[in-house]
Amino acid sequence: MIDCGEGTQHQIKCSQLKSSKLHSIFITHLHGDHCYGIFGLLHMLKAGNRTNPLHVYGPIGIQSLITNALYASGGWNGFEIIIHELGVHGTKYEQDTILNYCTTSETKPPSTSPSQSYHQTSFQVILNPQNKCQFRYKPNQIISLGEIDFGISAFACPITHRVETFGYVFIEKDKEGILNAAKATALGAKGPQMGMLKRGIDVTLKNGTTIYSKDVVGDNIRGKKIAVMQDCSYIDSAFEIAKDCDVLIHECTYDQSHYDNAITFGHSTASMAATHALNLKAKFCCSHNFPGFFFFLHITQKIY
Amino acid sequence: MIDCGEGTQHQIKCSQLKSSKLHSIFITHLHGDHCYGIFGLLHMLKAGNRTNPLHVYGPIGIQSLITNALYASGGWNGFEIIIHELGVHGTKYEQDTILNYCTTSETKPPSTSPSQSYHQTSFQVILNPQNKCQFRYKPNQIISLGEIDFGISAFACPITHRVETFGYVFIEKDKEGILNAAKATALGAKGPQMGMLKRGIDVTLKNGTTIYSKDVVGDNIRGKKIAVMQDCSYIDSAFEIAKDCDVLIHECTYDQSHYDNAITFGHSTASMAATHALNLKAKFCCSHNFPGFFFFLHITQKIY
């Protein structure tokens, strides 16, 4: 999930999405319309008896924001929340900002009498004890977040907005090429040998003939690349990693007549978004944030 | 407004309510479904160019919760937010918990070049400098919050839930009695004398006769009393101030077969809510929280 504005949990409930399958949340920046829904979503997942850990990526401050809210609301004894803060080398953020709310417990058992026993309640926020600001980078540096799941690698790119903001790029692993089954059969392959050829293994038949995988399997199919650039004016640092992306999701808040406003408020005009898409050679661009509308720019081709 | 769960700003936009008229928010407790919408609502009010201060009442922790969220999101330079924390005498909360986020500014002017100038942004949360934990009380003590607006006095009552929780009672000022205009006219009053009589002033006519206000004006009309008891098992401390209320809004989460659950989780069954309403001699009770439903118990009479 990219960003988590207020009401996200309600939208998920109205959709066909299964929140239990949620693996990671990538927060672009800490303006409320991009992150104020995360507290409620965490509670919703807990209420659904989630046990798998959930990863949250975001700028320095995301951990404090989440832990403060969970702390105020009585603590957290649900699934593990692994928060990955993205911090800049050499700033005041260099120190870890981890908040230790795993305090001594003041738990009192629930009372069946109308006493004040609930007033001094216990609280406990359990976060990954290894949770630190794992990702240090220099301005403009692309941050590799590693393989997050399903063979997808993620990258964070600092982009220009009014507060610290990241674009995210997701790159799917290349897939095996397509087996030319007719050709392989004609050469004498059969049964499990077909699978071996597809996996790149050459097969020697009983008659001593060798069928080379490269002769019957096409080139690897390039994994899809998706780039998400939420609120921003410039995405320079993202260009190298996001170029040739299959899908670019990019905000545009203004039309070109409000270019000055876009720059002042760290946003983009529709023209700026389209320019970014063209420079990246994005195959497909979905621009949003233009008050209430989504619109789509087919840059070179539609990919799905 | 009582409580402010996630999505409140969206519900207001879908309603006929004018958010600009909002004067105070009373948070009963800090479980997310009762307070996670307040951050977004504050931003919505700011976006609507609100200039009037907004009062927020709630348990200790509400200030930290709000200021942390505003801080993380880049700060606050909107209207004045006056947070009134309700704290218990003699606890660890005795120290003021005010957070001073009015830090030295690191503001850099917006840049028109694709630099990293936005990365080190300024932040400023401006709260009422007098804002402290104004309301200290002893367990079970009713807390008078004074006259909040429109001649309405508010009271907070600690009630029993899993975290510190308050019920709120609102009492409207008594209204002047109704003038028996026909009788006053028959006695010789006319013009402005009618208003004087209504306001309790006796009137002496030119012929020397005195018309006594009490003879032509009915008894004062008792102001309405509304009691709101959100998540709770017991509301003992509220009984004195809430008795004879015109409307009781009271949660009920379970039916009576789940009484043990209600006590364990600090909630009420429908029967418990009805018992509270009967004991209070509430004229009208609106119970909610019974998964997805509201239902109404006409205790003695409908008031409107």
Side-chain angles (χ1 to χ4, degrees):
Chain A
M1 178 185 291
I2 316 293
D3 283 338
C4 188
E6 187 176 349
T8 297
Q9 62 165 314
H10 306 131
Q11 293 300 320
I12 288 178
K13 283 184 178 171
C14 295
S15 77
Q16 301 293 318
L17 298 169
K18 288 187 180 173
S19 58
S20 58
K21 292 193 172 178
L22 187 60
H23 180 277
S24 300
I25 302 176
F26 298 84
I27 301 293
T28 61
H29 64 297
L30 299 183
H31 279 157
D33 51 333
H34 293 256
C35 64
Y36 282 171
I38 199 164
F39 325 118
L41 179 65
L42 291 172
H43 285 293
M44 185 189 89
L45 294 173
K46 181 181 166 189
N49 295 321
R50 183 188 181 102
T51 54
N52 291 340
L54 181 79
H55 294 260
V56 181
Y57 298 81
I60 290 277
I62 183 69
Q63 175 162 311
S64 165
L65 185 72
I66 292 174
T67 51
N68 268 290
L70 298 182
Y71 169 73
S73 292
W76 181 258
N77 59 355
F79 56 89
E80 191 179 37
I81 305 165
I82 303 169
I83 304 179
H84 307 270
E85 287 198 325
L86 314 176
V88 187
H89 265 302
T91 70
K92 61 179 176 178
Y93 297 133
E94 187 67 30
Q95 294 300 313
D96 282 325
T97 57
I98 190 166
L99 300 177
N100 182 11
Y101 279 132
C102 301
T103 61
T104 54
S105 176
E106 294 179 15
T107 310
K108 294 182 184 181
S111 166
T112 53
S113 68
S115 71
Q116 297 299 317
S117 63
Y118 286 119
H119 278 202
Q120 294 301 313
T121 189
S122 68
F123 44 79
Q124 199 174 22
V125 178
I126 300 172
L127 293 166
N128 178 0
Q130 297 307 313
N131 187 31
K132 293 181 180 178
C133 180
Q134 294 115 316
F135 299 102
R136 302 286 181 191
Y137 68 98
K138 292 176 181 171
N140 277 320
Q141 181 188 326
I142 294 167
I143 311 157
S144 170
L145 306 176
E147 188 175 312
I148 50 166
D149 203 10
F150 311 113
I152 295 171
S153 298
F155 299 84
C157 319
I159 56 179
T160 302
H161 186 44
R162 278 171 298 157
V163 294
E164 189 160 47
T165 300
F166 295 94
Y168 290 102
V169 179
F170 303 93
I171 304 179
E172 198 182 23
K173 211 171 176 176
D174 288 350
K175 292 176 185 165
E176 293 164 347
I178 294 169
L179 174 72
N180 185 334
K183 187 175 177 185
T185 303
L187 290 171
K190 54 185 174 183
Q193 294 168 337
M194 304 295 266
M196 291 168 68
L197 289 166
K198 188 166 168 55
R199 293 196 299 279
I201 302 167
D202 301 333
V203 168
T204 302
L205 305 180
K206 284 183 182 171
N207 64 9
T209 318
T210 296
I211 307 173
Y212 296 97
S213 173
K214 66 179 174 52
D215 293 338
V216 292
V217 177
D219 292 338
N220 273 3
I221 300 165
R222 181 176 165 272
K224 296 285 185 289
K225 183 188 285 191
I226 296 174
V228 184
M229 303 293 146
Q230 300 281 41
D231 298 0
C232 59
S233 286
Y234 300 100
I235 61 169
D236 299 33
S237 77
F239 265 82
E240 193 56 37
I241 193 74
K243 70 183 177 188
D244 298 321
C245 61
D246 296 279
V247 176
L248 170 67
I249 297 172
H250 193 300
E251 71 121 333
C252 59
T253 303
Y254 300 97
D255 66 21
Q256 197 61 6
S257 69
H258 293 90
Y259 174 79
D260 289 346
N261 271 341
I263 299 301
T264 300
F265 295 109
H267 282 284
S268 285
T269 65
S271 173
M272 288 162 71
T275 303
H276 288 164
L278 285 167
N279 290 344
L280 288 173
K281 297 183 181 171
K283 293 190 182 66
F284 185 70
C285 173
C286 166
S287 290
H288 66 102
N289 222 12
F290 201 76
F293 296 98
F294 278 75
F295 63 94
F296 303 91
L297 307 170
H298 291 248
I299 301 300
T300 56
Q301 65 177 86
K302 195 167 178 178
I303 61 160
Y304 289 111
Chain B
M1 178 186 292
I2 317 293
D3 283 338
C4 189
E6 187 176 350
T8 297
Q9 62 165 317
H10 306 131
Q11 292 301 320
I12 288 178
K13 282 184 177 170
C14 294
S15 77
Q16 301 294 317
L17 297 169
K18 289 188 180 173
S19 58
S20 58
K21 291 193 171 178
L22 187 61
H23 180 277
S24 300
I25 302 176
F26 298 84
I27 301 294
T28 61
H29 64 298
L30 299 183
H31 279 156
D33 51 333
H34 293 255
C35 63
Y36 282 170
I38 199 163
F39 325 119
L41 179 65
L42 291 172
H43 286 293
M44 184 189 90
L45 294 172
K46 181 182 166 189
N49 296 320
R50 182 187 180 104
T51 54
N52 291 340
L54 180 78
H55 294 260
V56 181
Y57 299 81
I60 290 274
I62 182 71
Q63 175 163 312
S64 165
L65 185 72
I66 292 173
T67 51
N68 268 291
L70 298 182
Y71 168 74
S73 292
W76 181 258
N77 60 354
F79 56 88
E80 190 180 39
I81 305 166
I82 304 169
I83 304 180
H84 307 270
E85 288 198 323
L86 314 175
V88 187
H89 265 302
T91 72
K92 63 181 175 177
Y93 297 133
E94 187 67 29
Q95 295 298 315
D96 283 325
T97 56
I98 189 166
L99 300 176
N100 182 11
Y101 280 131
C102 301
T103 61
T104 54
S105 176
E106 295 178 16
T107 309
K108 294 181 184 178
S111 166
T112 53
S113 68
S115 72
Q116 297 300 317
S117 65
Y118 285 119
H119 279 203
Q120 296 300 314
T121 187
S122 68
F123 45 79
Q124 197 175 26
V125 178
I126 299 171
L127 293 166
N128 179 1
Q130 297 306 313
N131 187 32
K132 293 181 180 179
C133 181
Q134 295 114 317
F135 298 102
R136 301 287 180 191
Y137 68 98
K138 292 176 182 170
N140 278 319
Q141 183 188 326
I142 294 166
I143 312 157
S144 170
L145 305 177
E147 187 175 313
I148 50 166
D149 203 11
F150 311 112
I152 295 171
S153 297
F155 300 84
C157 319
I159 56 179
T160 303
H161 185 44
R162 280 171 297 157
V163 294
E164 189 160 48
T165 301
F166 294 93
Y168 290 102
V169 179
F170 304 92
I171 303 178
E172 197 181 27
K173 212 171 177 176
D174 288 349
K175 292 176 186 166
E176 293 164 348
I178 295 169
L179 174 72
N180 185 333
K183 187 175 176 185
T185 304
L187 290 170
K190 55 187 173 183
Q193 294 169 338
M194 304 296 266
M196 293 168 68
L197 288 167
K198 186 165 170 55
R199 293 194 300 278
I201 303 165
D202 301 332
V203 168
T204 301
L205 304 179
K206 284 183 182 172
N207 64 10
T209 316
T210 296
I211 307 173
Y212 296 98
S213 173
K214 66 179 174 54
D215 294 337
V216 292
V217 177
D219 292 338
N220 272 4
I221 300 166
R222 180 176 165 273
K224 296 286 186 287
K225 182 188 286 191
I226 296 175
V228 183
M229 304 292 146
Q230 300 281 41
D231 298 359
C232 60
S233 287
Y234 300 100
I235 62 169
D236 299 34
S237 77
F239 264 82
E240 193 57 35
I241 193 74
K243 70 184 178 186
D244 298 321
C245 62
D246 296 279
V247 175
L248 170 66
I249 296 171
H250 193 299
E251 70 122 332
C252 58
T253 302
Y254 300 97
D255 66 20
Q256 197 60 7
S257 69
H258 293 91
Y259 174 79
D260 289 346
N261 272 342
I263 299 301
T264 301
F265 296 109
H267 281 284
S268 286
T269 66
S271 173
M272 288 162 69
T275 303
H276 289 163
L278 285 167
N279 291 344
L280 287 173
K281 296 182 180 171
K283 292 189 182 67
F284 184 70
C285 173
C286 166
S287 291
H288 66 101
N289 224 10
F290 200 78
F293 296 97
F294 277 74
F295 62 94
F296 302 92
L297 306 169
H298 290 249
I299 302 299
T300 57
Q301 66 180 86
K302 195 168 177 177
I303 61 160
Y304 288 111

